[in-house]
Amino acid sequence: MREHRHSPHVPYAAQLIDRRDLSEDTSLFRIAPEASALAELASFVPGQFVQLSVPGAGEVPISPADLPAADGTLELCVRRVGHVTELLHKLKPGARLGLRGPFGCGFPLGDMAGRPVLLLAGGLGIAPLRSLLIHLLRQRDRYGDITLMYGAKQPRLMLFREELAALAAGGGMRLYLTVDFAPEQQEGDYSCAVGLLPDLLKGFRFDAAATYAALCGPPPLYRCLVADLERAGVAAERILLSLERRMRCGVGRCCHCAIGQKLCCMDGPVFRASDLKGIPEAL
């Protein structure tokens, strides 16, 4: 566990720089923490999370959608789903915020080095995997084949679509997109499959014996994808799942995120599937 130089219970001051709408209820917020927070935030590993506090509303755990920028700013992808995020979406640039973290265990980048990496994202799960993807592409020579499979309910809910297409066009990764259904699809202007995310794995040829798989999405998706990956030959030790949605205090105090004898905020939020076997409520 990493030692915090700053009390993990006390937020750093931060400021909302700008916001970019990604869909009707999801936006990408750029946050500037105070200078004293930058050294701690620079230790961020994809898959870790921060606690973002909105004055007068409370705080929420969010996994950054990118690595910290050179100027220390963070990008947080946030869906409007509750009291805190509702108020966050109403704020204007310059609004004061609070930030704690980063917390938890991220993806085991050292173990993944030299291996093919398959990322599977469902819905808002693309946000934490985007930071992992950016890390992999920035250090492209350290990893084997990189593949992203991303599914959303509808085309208008697919996040970062143009950006992902541009990254794939650069040749460093393979990209497969799918939507559950496409009611607004116009003939000739669509470029992804229509079907469920697990359907993309059917017939997909890859080096299962060597691949690391990273999963993030709605909880019901995990059980199905883990079973499909294991049937394909991916060892449970190399199937990585982000369970960030279960967290609350972020420092192991409230135990709200307990999974059996594990705490999601301290032992996760990234777990190996092998570590969750025998814990009925895990998935």
Side-chain angles (χ1 to χ4, degrees):
M1 184 187 309
R2 183 170 52 86
E3 181 180 353
H4 290 267
R5 295 181 291 273
H6 179 81
S7 169
H9 304 283
V10 179
Y12 289 105
Q15 186 178 55
L16 174 60
I17 300 302
D18 55 38
R19 161 190 165 184
R20 175 163 63 97
D21 292 335
L22 301 176
S23 72
E24 60 195 40
D25 63 357
T26 303
S27 298
L28 188 67
F29 295 85
R30 192 158 63 95
I31 310 292
E34 65 178 86
S36 59
L38 300 186
E40 189 165 347
L41 288 169
S43 68
F44 168 74
V45 175
Q48 287 188 300
F49 67 99
V50 297
Q51 292 283 137
L52 178 69
S53 53
V54 179
E59 65 175 9
V60 288
I62 300 173
S63 182
D66 194 356
L67 306 175
D71 62 0
T73 56
L74 288 178
E75 287 187 331
L76 304 179
C77 183
V78 183
R79 178 165 291 167
R80 193 174 61 246
V81 292
H83 178 60
V84 178
T85 56
E86 184 78 34
L87 187 55
L88 175 65
H89 275 250
K90 294 179 180 177
L91 296 179
K92 304 295 183 184
R96 296 180 63 84
L97 300 167
L99 200 65
R100 298 191 289 127
F103 296 123
C105 297
F107 291 98
L109 302 176
D111 293 347
M112 298 164 74
R115 302 276 193 156
V117 181
L118 171 61
L119 300 91
L120 293 147
L124 191 58
I126 188 62
L129 290 191
R130 179 176 177 257
S131 66
L132 174 61
L133 177 65
I134 290 172
H135 165 84
L136 297 174
L137 293 177
R138 287 181 183 174
Q139 302 193 29
R140 187 65 191 86
D141 293 343
R142 292 191 63 204
Y143 300 94
D145 292 340
I146 299 171
T147 304
L148 171 63
M149 296 181 174
Y150 174 35
K153 288 184 178 178
Q154 301 182 39
R156 61 185 174 83
L157 299 179
M158 183 164 280
L159 310 176
F160 306 109
R161 181 177 171 183
E162 291 77 15
E163 174 188 307
L164 295 174
L167 291 173
M173 58 176 277
R174 292 182 291 178
L175 175 65
Y176 299 88
L177 303 175
T178 189
V179 291
D180 295 354
F181 57 97
E184 72 268 35
Q185 179 177 351
Q186 300 296 319
E187 186 175 355
D189 73 347
Y190 207 60
S191 58
C192 73
V194 177
L196 301 178
L197 179 59
D199 293 341
L200 293 179
L201 279 175
K202 296 176 181 176
F204 177 64
R205 302 183 65 179
F206 67 112
D207 185 1
T211 293
Y212 267 86
L215 283 59
C216 192
L221 194 63
Y222 288 133
R223 192 171 298 175
C224 177
L225 285 177
V226 169
D228 287 347
L229 288 167
E230 288 189 305
R231 275 194 294 270
V234 182
E237 291 79 9
R238 285 183 280 103
I239 301 175
L240 310 169
L241 305 93
S242 175
L243 303 182
E244 62 171 17
R245 294 182 179 185
R246 295 170 179 265
M247 296 172 294
R248 179 169 292 177
C249 75
V251 293
R253 185 177 54 196
C254 71
C255 297
H256 182 265
C257 62
I259 304 173
Q261 297 300 311
K262 300 180 183 297
L263 292 176
C264 195
C265 67
M266 303 293 285
D267 302 308
V270 176
F271 291 93
R272 297 175 191 265
S274 54
D275 294 334
L276 301 177
K277 288 186 180 296
I279 306 178
E281 71 271 26
L283 301 180

